[in-house]
Amino acid sequence: MGRESIFRWKRQARTGGTEALRIKKAPGRPWRLPPSQRQTVKAVVRNVTPR
């Protein structure tokens, strides 16, 4: 862990309490595939690709 990360965590705890230190879901683009198609893609990658 980097020194700056530790200081950032201390600052967050000081201003927002322990709740501010909880793991949060990373932001990002929403899924475009419905859950059934996501499962299909996962299965193909897992079972069909040589790696």
Side-chain angles (χ1 to χ4, degrees):
M1 280 169 252
R3 180 178 175 197
E4 293 186 21
S5 295
I6 294 170
F7 283 117
R8 184 177 62 245
W9 296 334
K10 285 178 67 174
R11 186 173 52 250
Q12 287 174 338
R14 195 170 40 244
T15 59
T18 57
E19 195 63 31
L21 299 176
R22 291 197 182 269
I23 296 173
K24 299 165 188 77
K25 185 176 178 182
R29 180 176 267 181
W31 286 93
R32 292 182 127 178
L33 294 175
S36 60
Q37 287 182 340
R38 278 186 245 159
Q39 292 298 328
T40 303
V41 169
K42 286 180 186 178
V44 168
V45 169
R46 186 179 25 218
N47 301 326
V48 177
T49 60
R51 291 186 182 189

